[in-house]
Amino acid sequence: MDMTRRPRRLRRDGVRGLVSETTLNASDLIAPVFVDATTEARVPIESMPGHERVPVSEAVARVEEVLATGVEAVIVFGVPESKDERGSRAWAEDGVVQEAVRRITAETDAYVITDVCLCEYTEHGHCGVLASDARENWEERRSDPGVAGGARTGGGLTVKNDETLDLLARTAVSHVEAGADMVAPSSMADGQVGALRAALDEAGHENVPVMAYAVKYESAFYGPFRDAADGAPAFGDRRHYQMDPANGREAMRMAERDAAEGADVLMVKPALPYLDVVADVRREFDHPVAAYNVSGEYAMLKAAGEKGWLDATESAYESVLSIKRAGADLIITYFAEDIARSLP
Ligand SMILES: [Zn+2]
């Protein structure tokens, strides 16, 4: 046995920190904030213990809680007072995100990112304008509540891609005009980054960065978020526009495309089941890489912690550290406040 190599020499107290390769800082973390126009009081999100939907009047207070932990950035999601077929409350000047962002940016120093999508604003819960066959199926289903299960869309595309781009661009511009510092398109429409970039530039917001949900998988780990943001599809699923979890090489093509369209930050979502993809994007691109440690990744640790099966605080730290080690510079996580509070 070759005993010249004894890695334990560097695991002793005093030297462990000197040779540590990865450090998690509060400034790496982005906390999601849910603002809900349908409520006057804070509503706990059952499947995400510790998180709440807050009314617009509480948005500043909620962000101040985040800032008090040392986390400096938030990503804002909205639940509108009403939904329609096209999701028009997404780009309304007096929409829930616009009102909240106006207050947050006026009254706090938080760096404010907004999620740009339509699924929380459309009655059907899809991330864009419905294709006609999908709409017929849906209307049939609505008029006959006896029809069970997810309506099929004839194998066709659920959402019309190009018609959706204009609505996403309008939404992004309205967020920036309300004060958003960065916009993050998440609908997975082809061309969404280019469409936002062009619209922002045209409106004189050429200095506002776009964080692309470049690599977003059709994941079972989004479940609790759909409770939080009330954005579950009324029928069908999102496999026609989100990525197949089987595909890693395709992720490079997605990131390449978004980089070419002007993305400033490239995101991978979810994080933990896709650390290989985070590492690949880190290696192949020199852009900052973001990873979204999603609601299901949060809920499973919290649930196991509540049962006493593992230590939720320590396992959360280890999870988020692993996301950074894989190559993420920015980490969106529901653990942001917990982790920031526990940092030395
Ligand atoms: Zn969406």
Side-chain angles (χ1 to χ4, degrees):
M1 195 178 347
D2 174 9
M3 295 305 278
T4 53
R5 294 184 193 186
R6 288 183 183 271
R8 288 182 175 194
R9 288 175 195 133
L10 298 182
R11 289 184 196 140
R12 301 163 75 126
D13 288 343
V15 69
R16 254 205 335 259
L18 290 171
V19 298
S20 167
E21 298 175 27
T22 313
T23 312
L24 211 46
N25 303 304
S27 61
D28 300 325
L29 307 175
I30 300 165
V33 166
F34 296 97
V35 185
D36 184 347
T38 69
T39 179
E40 296 291 314
R42 293 181 175 221
V43 182
I45 302 167
E46 205 179 326
S47 51
M48 295 169 62
H51 282 273
E52 298 170 321
R53 306 200 289 209
V54 303
V56 171
S57 60
E58 290 278 317
V60 169
R62 176 72 194 98
V63 171
E64 278 170 348
E65 291 163 11
V66 172
L67 296 175
T69 67
V71 173
E72 297 162 3
V74 294
I75 182 164
V76 178
F77 296 89
V79 178
E81 55 291 304
S82 62
K83 304 188 184 211
D84 57 31
E85 195 186 323
R86 282 159 59 86
S88 63
R89 295 303 294 167
W91 58 86
E93 201 188 328
D94 61 348
V96 60
V97 166
Q98 290 81 354
E99 291 289 358
V101 166
R102 218 169 270 129
R103 294 179 188 210
I104 295 165
T105 52
E107 297 180 40
T108 78
D109 293 327
Y111 189 81
V112 177
I113 304 165
T114 57
D115 179 84
V116 177
C117 199
L118 301 171
C119 47
E120 291 140 41
Y121 302 87
T122 51
E123 318 170 278
H124 45 75
H126 279 287
C127 304
V129 179
L130 273 197
S132 54
D133 60 339
R135 190 167 58 231
E136 278 161 28
N137 260 308
W138 179 53
E139 279 166 1
E140 224 167 80
R141 226 174 90 73
R142 273 212 301 192
S143 60
D144 179 7
V147 181
R152 294 283 131 228
T153 56
L157 298 175
T158 320
V159 167
K160 285 179 170 172
N161 190 84
D162 298 7
E163 287 83 341
T164 300
L165 295 177
D166 175 52
L167 305 184
L168 294 171
R170 284 165 73 172
T171 303
V173 170
S174 75
H175 289 176
V176 171
E177 299 199 326
D181 297 301
M182 179 188 268
V183 286
S186 66
S187 84
M188 286 297 277
D190 288 332
Q192 61 179 2
V193 173
L196 260 63
R197 186 70 273 157
L200 290 171
D201 290 357
E202 180 154 338
H205 304 301
E206 61 279 353
N207 290 320
V208 173
V210 174
M211 175 162 68
Y213 282 73
V215 183
K216 182 177 178 183
Y217 288 95
E218 211 256 342
S219 172
F221 287 89
Y222 302 148
F225 176 91
R226 291 174 185 172
D227 286 352
D230 192 22
F235 67 88
D237 53 46
R238 293 176 173 145
R239 75 180 66 186
H240 296 131
Y241 44 100
Q242 297 181 349
M243 276 183 57
D244 181 345
N247 294 356
R249 293 189 299 272
E250 183 188 358
M252 298 307 104
R253 296 203 295 279
M254 302 301 294
E256 172 77 58
R257 193 268 314 267
D258 282 2
E261 287 181 20
D264 299 281
V265 178
L266 298 170
M267 191 203 296
V268 176
K269 178 185 181 183
L272 294 175
Y274 300 92
L275 291 182
D276 57 327
V277 178
V278 173
D280 286 347
V281 175
R282 166 74 296 141
R283 201 165 34 244
E284 298 295 324
F285 297 86
D286 56 12
H287 293 65
V289 176
Y292 199 140
N293 178 222
V294 303
S295 58
E297 299 173 49
Y298 175 83
M300 63 184 180
L301 296 189
K302 283 283 180 184
E306 279 177 11
K307 279 184 169 286
W309 290 351
L310 48 71
D311 183 315
T313 308
E314 286 184 8
S315 55
Y317 180 84
E318 184 179 330
S319 298
V320 175
L321 183 71
S322 76
I323 296 167
K324 180 136 184 225
R325 191 191 64 235
D329 305 290
L330 304 77
I331 302 167
I332 304 171
T333 176
Y334 300 96
F335 290 116
E337 292 160 272
D338 289 353
I339 289 176
R341 259 187 235 107
S342 72
L343 291 173

